[in-house]
Each structure stands twice: as structure tokens, then as C-alpha cells.
Amino acid sequence: MITKMPGPAPTPPEAQATTLTTRRAVVGASFGFFVDMFDVYLPVVALTPAMNYFLPPSVSTGSRAVITSLIFVATLLGRPLGSMIFGRLADKVGRRRVTLWSITGCGVCTLAIALLPGYSAVGLLGVVLMVVLRLVDGVFLGGEYTGATPLAMEAAPAGRRGWYGGLVGMGFPLSYCAIALVTFVMLRIAPSGGPESAYSVWGWRVPFLVGALLCLVFCLYYSRTVEESETWKAAPKSRTPIRDVLIGSSRRQFIQVFVIMSGIWFASNLASGLLPSALQYQAHVSATQVTAALVIVQAIHSVLFPYIGLLSEKIGRRKFLAWSGVGIGVVCAAAFATISLGWWSGFGAVLLLTLVIRLSGGSTFAVTPSYLCERFPPAVRGSGFGLGYSMPLILTSFYAYYQGWLEHLMPSGFTAAALLVLGGALVLVGSLLGPETKDVDLAGQPVPEAARA
């Protein structure tokens, strides 16, 4: 007689529902972060080859660089205001609703930018409108992660938040990869050149149209599949979440997160915002080669993000961030310094250098979704996450101007490395000021004794 061995017990319906809810929330947050960062870095990659469409030939190289950085900075400056507005709403009316509002606004602004006229039609008004729209866009972008990321982390099970946080953070390198890929294709179809070249007239508009379309697709997906956070529903609501974060019961957490994120944003703005132009003008490779290198490196980095998040689950968020600070201040800074020394030439060498800079300077975004949510209680988590994540941008967005000041103290090529050393020190110090958080109960229960060590 043959006895049939029992198979695995079926997964209870409630567990299946929880898994599906978690998956949808995480996919939604990752998609939202992808759309967010796609929009943030559009000017850096897609608009740079077409700036002669918006500026007269008489503009000096220095003034051109300042205007280009201002377009990028405008978005970053809008994000703290957006976090303050939408973070409060996320804590009071719900994470899901705020996410949909913010991405809708982002899509409208991005579409408007794609339709802007150039210098030959309206003079410098085109640039002014670009800066204004980017500022408003930044306000809406500041609302996306105040809702979607806390919702995803509150749906993720304990012991797996590092992995899921890495999946959410993966939207960052994927978005940069996608921008570079779309721009690379457009540069092949519509070559860049003078203000009348195909890329300057219409090619740059395509990546912005893609960004607006992504916002529409996200809203359709999120509204149909993602449910409101059960943790938010059950948690007591704060009447003044912004006040509680800035000067109330969560002020110490905010200050500590502010220090860490200041360092992370210094690293990110330099390793992402400055890297393309540094490679093109100091390593003497073409715009097409730089874009191709970014596509390859960001694709590799994207695949690694969940595993980087999982590593923080094994060794702890605090230890991971501390070592990341060392990597930013030593490895990433040294890599930038070698660009100025002229040590790199050729596509293969630039590809390797780009990989080193991205791994050492941008991997912290695999851990920030889980870590920042773990630092704030549910009643103020949207506000705490949003303000802690974006308010440091008020200081770090002006990196180009800090570089100008540092040029009085050192050769201009080494100013980026100096700021990266500062950024790494801030991440290291900030992480050591805070507790270990990987075992925190996001429903609002006290931190276990082992996590306080």
C-alpha cells in the first residue's frame, strides 16, 4: 500500500491577501519613486544637449552652467514645500489619496514643459517659464513619497522591510537608466548641435512627454490596485503633524534624519547631477558615450538595489549607513578627484569609473525608504518621512554655488570631491547618532530592547 505524503499546507486566504496587498503597495511605491526621480533628473540628462535652444549664443559658458543648474535646483527646492503640504495631508487624509494628487500635478507640469517655446520665439521667457514650472513640479514631487513610501513600508512584513525598501528605492537607478536610454535613442534619431538641430528643436521634448505619460500610467495603476494603509487607518491622528516633527515629540528623530539626508543628497546631487558633464568635459568623451555608460551602469545598479536593502536587514540599517558614509567620503570622493587628474579616457574606463561612483555614492537610496519610515511613529510618518527626506535639499541643492566658493581655496576640479567628503562625514555622523531600527514595529509599538543598543 502506497501512502501519499502530505503536501504543504495551503496558504490561508488572509495571508494570501496580505501578500498581494504588500506586493501591490511596494510595486506602486517603486513605480511612484521611478516617476519621481525620472522627472527630477530629466533636465540633467535630456535637456543639457538642448540648452542652446533656450539661450542666446552670447551667453558665456559659466552663465550657461549656472542657468542649467538653476533649472535642476528649482525642482529640488520645491520638494520641501511639497513635503510640508502633502506630508501633512498624508497623515490626516490618507497616504493613497495624496499620492494620486501629487503625481497628477507632476504629470501636468511635465507635459507643459514639453510644450515650451525656445529663445528664437519668446527670448529668455522660455527659460523663466522652465524654472517656474520646475519649481511647481518639485512641489508635487515632494508629495509623492510622503504617501506612497510610508504606505508600502507599513504593508511590508517585519524582517523583510529591507528587501522591500530596496525594491522601492530601485525606482531611482531605474529612472536614471530610463532617462539616459530615452535620451540616447533620441540623440541617435535627432542629432544634437546648434539651436536649429533636430534634438534642440524637438528631440528633447520626447523624454518629457514620456515622463508625463508615465504619470498617467502610474495614476491608473495606483488608483485601481493599491489600498489605503491599514496602519494609518488604525493609528491615532495628530492635529499638528508638521509641528510634532519639527519642534514637538519627533524633533530629535527629525534632526538626526536631517543630518543623514544632507550627506546623502550631497552625494546624490554630485554623483548624479554633476557626473554627466564632468565626464563629458573632463574625461573628454562624447555625450552619446556618457549616456550609454549611464544606461549600462544604472541597469546594473538597479538589479543590486533589493540585495543592498537585504544586506541592511542582515547587518542593520545603522551599520550599513555608517559604512556608506565612509564609502561616499573616501571612495566616491577619490573617484571624482581622479576625473580632474585626467586619469580616465576611453569608453571602457569611463564605464568602470561611473560604476564605482554610482555604487559608492548612490546605494544609500536602497535603505532610506525603510530607515526613514522606521524613525517616525505612524501619526506623523508621512510628514516625518517627507520633511526628513527633502528639507536637506534646501542646503544641498546649491552645490554648484558651494563649488564656486571652494574654487577660491582649491583647484576647481577638486571641489566636487571636497563636497563628497563633507557628505560622507554627515552620513557617518548622522547614522551613529541614531539607534538601530530594523526591528521597529511600524504599527507604533516600542522599539525592542535589542534595537536600542
Side-chain angles (χ1 to χ4, degrees):
M1 181 177 179
I2 299 175
T3 303
K4 184 177 180 180
M5 298 296 293
T11 305
E14 60 273 15
Q16 292 178 356
T18 301
T19 301
L20 181 59
T21 299
T22 300
R23 186 183 302 117
R24 287 175 172 174
V26 170
V27 170
S30 183
F31 190 9
F33 197 39
F34 172 88
V35 173
D36 178 322
M37 301 309 289
F38 187 96
D39 205 76
V40 167
Y41 288 106
L42 267 176
V44 176
V45 181
L47 196 59
T48 299
M51 281 307 297
N52 51 20
Y53 179 70
F54 289 96
L55 298 174
S58 58
V59 173
S60 66
T61 302
S63 298
R64 185 182 298 267
V66 170
I67 293 171
T68 302
S69 67
L70 183 60
I71 293 172
F72 178 57
V73 166
T75 308
L76 302 184
L77 291 178
R79 294 172 81 174
L81 178 58
S83 294
M84 188 170 294
I85 295 171
F86 289 105
R88 177 179 179 276
L89 291 172
D91 287 328
K92 294 181 77 68
V93 306
R95 325 287 198 210
R96 179 180 178 274
R97 190 182 303 179
V98 164
T99 300
L100 291 170
W101 290 346
S102 59
I103 291 296
T104 299
C106 172
V108 172
C109 290
T110 305
L111 178 61
I113 291 172
L115 303 177
L116 284 177
Y119 179 79
S120 62
V122 294
L124 292 176
L125 179 61
V127 171
V128 174
L129 290 174
M130 173 76 74
V131 173
V132 172
L133 284 171
R134 291 295 295 176
L135 179 64
V136 176
D137 199 16
V139 173
F140 284 110
L141 287 171
E144 181 276 322
Y145 43 77
T146 63
T149 301
L151 192 157
M153 291 298 96
E154 288 169 351
R160 297 286 291 172
R161 284 197 299 266
W163 172 263
Y164 286 120
L167 288 173
V168 172
M170 188 170 65
F172 171 40
L174 272 178
S175 66
Y176 206 92
C177 176
I179 297 170
L181 181 59
V182 172
T183 304
F184 177 80
V185 171
M186 292 312 304
L187 285 169
R188 303 294 292 180
I189 296 173
S192 62
E196 302 301 324
S197 67
Y199 188 85
S200 295
V201 174
W202 62 270
W204 67 271
R205 302 180 192 275
V206 174
F208 282 87
L209 291 172
V210 170
L213 179 62
L214 285 171
C215 291
L216 174 61
V217 174
F218 172 85
C219 286
L220 292 174
Y221 170 82
Y222 207 81
S223 63
R224 294 178 179 180
T225 63
V226 179
E227 301 174 4
E228 184 55 83
S229 166
E230 294 298 326
T231 297
W232 175 80
K233 289 180 181 179
K237 307 298 183 285
S238 170
R239 295 181 60 187
T240 56
I242 300 296
R243 182 183 183 280
D244 291 348
V245 169
L246 296 180
I247 60 175
S249 57
S250 295
R251 67 186 183 280
R252 291 185 179 180
Q253 294 96 313
F254 171 74
I255 293 171
Q256 184 251 334
V257 166
F258 185 95
V259 173
I260 290 180
M261 288 307 304
S262 294
I264 289 175
W265 279 120
F266 263 128
S268 175
N269 291 342
L270 291 163
S272 299
L274 190 63
L275 182 59
S277 59
L279 291 174
Q280 185 173 346
Y281 297 113
Q282 294 179 306
H284 305 293
V285 291
S286 69
T288 303
Q289 288 178 313
V290 169
T291 306
L294 290 172
V295 170
I296 296 170
V297 167
Q298 296 289 24
I300 296 171
H301 203 195
S302 300
V303 174
L304 295 177
F305 253 54
Y307 298 97
I308 295 171
L310 186 61
L311 175 63
S312 77
E313 201 72 61
K314 301 297 183 183
I315 69 173
R317 318 269 195 255
R318 185 171 184 261
K319 184 179 293 186
F320 175 87
L321 288 168
W323 279 109
S324 294
V326 175
I328 292 168
V330 177
V331 179
C332 193
F336 253 94
T338 60
I339 298 177
S340 300
L341 292 171
W343 289 6
W344 305 90
S345 62
F347 180 75
V350 166
L351 185 65
L352 175 61
L353 175 66
T354 304
L355 180 61
V356 171
I357 288 174
R358 290 305 311 149
L359 286 174
S360 59
S363 294
T364 47
F365 282 102
V367 176
T368 52
S370 54
Y371 182 76
L372 267 63
C373 286
E374 291 163 350
R375 290 299 285 129
F376 296 97
V380 298
R381 186 165 292 138
S383 301
F385 184 96
L387 293 173
Y389 185 84
S390 62
M391 279 196 73
L393 288 166
I394 296 174
L395 296 177
T396 61
S397 296
F398 296 99
Y399 64 90
Y401 302 93
Y402 301 149
Q403 287 182 273
W405 178 78
L406 287 171
E407 286 178 0
H408 295 92
L409 304 176
M410 63 183 68
S412 60
F414 295 97
T415 56
L419 290 178
L420 283 166
V421 171
L422 172 61
L426 289 171
V427 174
L428 175 60
V429 171
S431 62
L432 295 179
L433 288 174
E436 177 52 59
T437 63
K438 68 184 183 70
D439 297 317
V440 167
D441 186 338
L442 291 191
Q445 297 302 314
V447 180
E449 191 67 33
R452 298 193 185 113

